[in-house]
Amino acid sequence: SNVAKGTYKLVYFDTTNESYRIEKVVQVEDENVQADLAFTSGIQGKILDLNNLPIGNKRVYICKDADDGEANGEEYETITDSDGKYKIMLNEGNYALRTELEDTDAATRVEIKNPTSEYQNKDICVGVVKINGTVKNNDLVVSGVKVTYNNGELGKYIATTNESGQYSLYIKPGVYDVTVQEMEIKKEVTINGTGISDGTDIKANLHKVSGTV
């Protein structure tokens, strides 16, 4: 088709498997650009946390390396299913894989060689753990508020409580300052390598004041 110069994303979506999606970035610089999705092999596996538990419904980014080891702009995406499984078609070459939970420099290097119709298996462990918590005010659950875990070196993680006042996060182990949106709550929480911490449940004793001046 005729498109203007620029950067575009070519998307393949399998309607029989909602978690299977390929996105390829294409750079259009002139009229003769070949943009297709033809593959000879692929890679599959699971995305796991530090406790070897699957991480579901997260994006996996795959970038092909050029001969000098730098990214060459050929990028793909897919999404893990509820069991943390991913599967994507690729051609022979060197690739860098990472999840949306990781920084760019945390990518896992993978080589696809001797391409066949078989998928190569590669499980990837991400340096995070899953935490769960509940926000309450005077024993009443608080829904729809943002809970922020902040560490200057490890980053900022934000989740929103559901109708039951519960939230969950994938987070790196460490010490965090925790705040809750629109509530005068600030506490320090330590997340260990198992994701277990007594401080993830947050309780306040705020009283609503109303009146007319």
Side-chain angles (χ1 to χ4, degrees), residues 173-188:
V175 180
Y176 292 86
D177 291 325
V178 182
T179 57
V180 181
Q181 176 191 28
E182 299 179 357
M183 300 178 70
E184 296 178 0
I185 299 175
K186 185 174 182 179
K187 61 186 296 187
E188 185 177 278

Side-chain angles (χ1 to χ4, degrees), residues 5 30-31 35-36 46 73 79 81 83 88 92 100 111 117-118 122-123 125 156 160 162 169 183 193:
K5 292 182 180 180
D30 53 48
E31 297 179 353
D36 53 34
K46 284 187 176 182
I79 302 174
D81 65 14
D83 295 321
I88 190 165
E92 186 173 13
E100 64 178 82
E111 181 182 6
S117 60
E118 299 294 328
K122 182 66 177 180
D123 291 344
C125 181
K156 181 183 293 186
T160 302
N162 61 20
L169 279 171
M183 300 178 70

Side-chain angles (χ1 to χ4, degrees), residues 105-121:
D105 56 3
T108 299
R109 320 308 289 199
V110 176
E111 181 182 6
I112 303 294
K113 56 184 179 181
N114 301 322
T116 66
S117 60
E118 299 294 328
Y119 283 82
Q120 295 187 29
N121 294 305

Side-chain angles (χ1 to χ4, degrees), residues 131-142 145 147 149 161-162 164-169 178-180 183 185-191 195-205:
I131 62 170
N132 301 287
T134 303
V135 178
K136 292 184 177 181
N137 181 29
N138 295 308
D139 294 325
L140 297 176
V141 297
V142 182
V145 294
V147 181
Y149 282 67
T161 58
N162 61 20
S164 300
Q166 299 171 335
Y167 70 94
S168 63
L169 279 171
V178 182
T179 57
V180 181
M183 300 178 70
I185 299 175
K186 185 174 182 179
K187 61 186 296 187
E188 185 177 278
V189 175
T190 299
I191 305 300
I196 299 175
S197 173
D198 294 332
T200 55
D201 286 338
I202 302 170
K203 186 175 181 179
N205 293 295

Side-chain angles (χ1 to χ4, degrees), residues 23-25 38-40 61-77 88-98 107-113 115:
E23 299 183 3
K24 177 179 179 180
V25 176
F39 303 97
T40 56
Y61 303 104
I62 301 98
C63 183
K64 188 174 183 180
D65 289 345
D67 293 337
D68 58 3
E70 297 295 327
N72 70 353
E74 190 172 319
E75 300 176 1
Y76 307 89
E77 285 185 26
I88 190 165
M89 296 179 290
L90 296 170
N91 288 318
E92 186 173 13
N94 294 306
Y95 295 86
L97 279 72
R98 69 178 180 87
T108 299
R109 320 308 289 199
V110 176
E111 181 182 6
I112 303 294
K113 56 184 179 181

